[in-house]
Amino acid sequence: MTVTDRIALDPFGSDIPAESARLRALGPVVPVELPGGIPAWAPTGYDVLKELILDPQVSKDPRKHWRLWPEIGEHPSWGWVVSWIGVFNMLSAYGPDHTRLRKLVAPSFTHRRTEAMRPRVTAIASELLDALAAAGSDGAVVDLRAGLAQPLPMRMICELFGVPDEMRDDTGALIAAIMDTSDPTPEHAAFVQERIGTVLGGLIAYKVEHPGDDMTTELIRVRDEDGDRLGDEELLYTLLLVIGAGFETTVNLIGNAVVALLTDPAQLAAVRTGAVGWDAVIDETLRVHPSIASLPLRFAVSDLKVGDVTIPAGDAIITTFAAAGLDPAHYGPDAAAFDAARGGDDHLAFGIGVHRCIGAPLARAEALAALPALFERFPGLRLAVGEDELRQVPSFIAFGWQEIPVCLEA
């Protein structure tokens, strides 16, 4: 296969496991085309992805290392990717810049801070379950995503960053628009950029006038006292990254775990009897149904040899977490099957090394608060539609469901 035979990725992410399998059959790394026609390389297995993530010759800075960055303005349909890589935060930083930005945010997500937040997580989960019970008390179908999976992490991250209640809906809508890769038009890209400035710029302005004991206030203080550590754009886009990643990924983690168990009665029975623990459920969900399927973009600093293929210096690479988690070479011939009893937490869904997600402990704490309480509260919980009727969010990046209609009682 040559680079002229690029495989176009489905911008809707309609069947990510099947797409991953098709790419894997073509080799360890495959030339692909992202929405809008952006050329990139897709690793198709666990070992290759892990090696590339850890390789110092793989960068996340397009300005320094993507040969097509100077041309991006000539391709209007590429504009959507600017919200991912054309910003100044940890996701687009390389080397010392990445280290500097990570150190500013990491203290908010330490094990100690996460443990301190656990009672609040539990309280919010309980409140949401009460609301679900009321909404479904007469047998009505309720949306578990809208009623639990989305508001729990959303409320927690907003409390952590001091986002006032009246800004939460706009913040959630902004992140959803960024995750939507089904519309690579210039109009959508312009809309997203405008909303970033309006929503998060508005948050910064609000916290300047109403400082509090929250992370946004702390980042503003750092910017004002030492602009060399954090500039204006870095402040804006660090908030975009951490608030977005701090809730959207957990939405899908909770939702994907619920669907996996409700569509596999034997697995659910094993969990209910205690034969399989909730930590194992979470790790298996992250392996088989990672909240982020593929993340744009990384860039080859120098020529990279992968098997018989050379990724030329300056080419783009996507981080294919879904393909890695389903790799039979690493997880065995039944890699595509959800089996929490298999154990192990070596998945790459939270990244690895210096690129491991700093919010991973909080995401796990939120899932551990929501999932056991949900299934204990509603022993007759079941899907209100067939599994084939669930709709994937329109994204090749996010891996989750638009709605999860359920009946709370059998």
Side-chain angles (χ1 to χ4, degrees):
M1 165 174 241
T2 67
V3 292
T4 59
D5 302 318
R6 293 187 180 276
I7 306 299
L9 299 185
D10 178 6
F12 290 88
S14 304
D15 193 342
I16 289 169
E19 184 174 67
S20 298
R22 287 195 298 271
L23 292 176
R24 189 177 300 111
L26 298 174
V29 61
V30 176
V32 296
E33 185 177 278
L34 309 190
I38 299 172
W41 293 88
T44 64
Y46 181 99
D47 291 337
V48 171
L49 180 61
K50 181 178 179 180
E51 180 180 340
L52 289 173
I53 291 176
L54 294 175
D55 191 337
Q57 292 302 300
V58 175
S59 166
K60 295 195 293 181
D61 189 335
R63 294 169 181 81
K64 294 178 181 177
H65 301 120
W66 189 23
R67 61 179 175 79
L68 296 180
W69 177 253
E71 304 174 19
I72 197 165
E74 301 172 19
H75 303 274
S77 60
W78 293 11
W80 67 269
V81 84
V82 172
S83 299
W84 290 94
I85 65 169
V87 297
F88 295 91
N89 58 31
M90 286 181 289
L91 198 63
S92 60
Y94 176 68
D97 285 333
H98 177 269
T99 302
R100 171 176 57 85
L101 293 171
R102 187 179 177 93
K103 283 182 177 179
L104 291 175
V105 178
S108 291
F109 295 95
T110 61
H111 176 74
R112 180 182 62 81
R113 288 291 295 271
T114 299
E115 288 301 309
M117 288 187 279
R118 200 176 291 272
R120 182 61 182 148
V121 174
T122 301
I124 293 175
S126 179
E127 178 185 329
L128 293 171
L129 290 174
D130 287 345
L132 273 177
S137 60
D138 59 353
V141 173
V142 295
D143 179 5
L144 200 67
R145 177 186 171 98
L148 177 65
Q150 198 271 354
L152 172 59
M154 183 64 175
R155 286 176 60 176
M156 281 306 303
I157 202 69
C158 284
E159 288 187 11
L160 184 61
F161 281 82
V163 180
D165 292 352
E166 60 270 23
M167 293 186 180
R168 287 180 183 172
D169 287 348
D170 285 344
T171 302
L174 167 63
I175 303 305
I178 292 172
M179 289 287 179
D180 186 348
T181 59
S182 66
D183 182 5
T185 61
E187 291 77 16
H188 181 73
F191 168 77
V192 169
Q193 287 299 310
E194 184 276 329
R195 294 307 292 163
I196 291 172
T198 299
V199 175
L200 296 180
L203 172 61
I204 293 170
Y206 176 86
K207 298 308 295 185
V208 168
E209 294 296 324
H210 305 88
D213 183 17
D214 57 70
M215 194 60 197
T216 302
T217 299
E218 173 61 18
L219 289 173
I220 291 171
R221 183 194 64 77
V222 172
R223 178 201 63 178
D224 292 346
E225 293 181 2
D226 187 356
D228 290 338
R229 293 180 64 204
L230 187 68
D232 287 335
E233 284 190 274
E234 289 175 333
L235 169 60
L236 181 71
Y237 292 119
T238 292
L239 290 174
L240 174 66
L241 172 62
V242 184
I243 292 175
F247 88 90
E248 181 66 25
T249 53
T250 311
V251 173
N252 293 334
L253 169 57
I254 294 172
N256 290 346
V258 169
V259 171
L261 291 175
L262 292 183
T263 54
D264 192 332
Q267 293 273 322
L268 180 54
V271 173
R272 288 194 183 281
T273 63
V276 173
W278 283 106
D279 272 306
V281 170
I282 290 169
D283 280 317
E284 185 69 349
T285 301
L286 290 167
R287 182 188 73 82
V288 180
H289 309 292
S291 301
I292 297 296
S294 296
L295 191 63
L297 283 167
R298 284 173 160 84
F299 312 97
V301 176
S302 59
D303 288 354
L304 302 172
K305 191 74 172 176
V306 180
D308 296 330
V309 177
T310 297
I311 300 176
D315 274 18
I317 305 165
I318 59 174
T319 45
T320 47
F321 299 116
L326 299 172
D327 183 6
H330 188 80
Y331 293 107
D334 64 342
F338 182 93
D339 180 10
R342 78 172 70 229
D345 60 355
D346 70 336
H347 57 79
L348 300 175
F350 283 136
I352 192 171
V354 297
H355 301 294
R356 181 171 173 79
C357 174
I358 58 176
L362 179 58
R364 185 178 291 272
E366 290 168 347
L368 285 173
L371 293 169
L374 171 69
F375 283 92
E376 181 178 349
R377 179 76 175 268
F378 306 113
L381 182 69
R382 60 182 174 85
L383 285 176
V385 299
E387 184 180 5
D388 59 350
E389 297 178 73
L390 296 173
R391 298 182 300 156
Q392 155 78 11
V393 294
S395 178
F396 83 94
I397 296 173
F399 197 179
W401 307 110
Q402 293 186 44
E403 305 96 10
I404 306 175
V406 297
C407 296
L408 302 179
E409 302 296 338

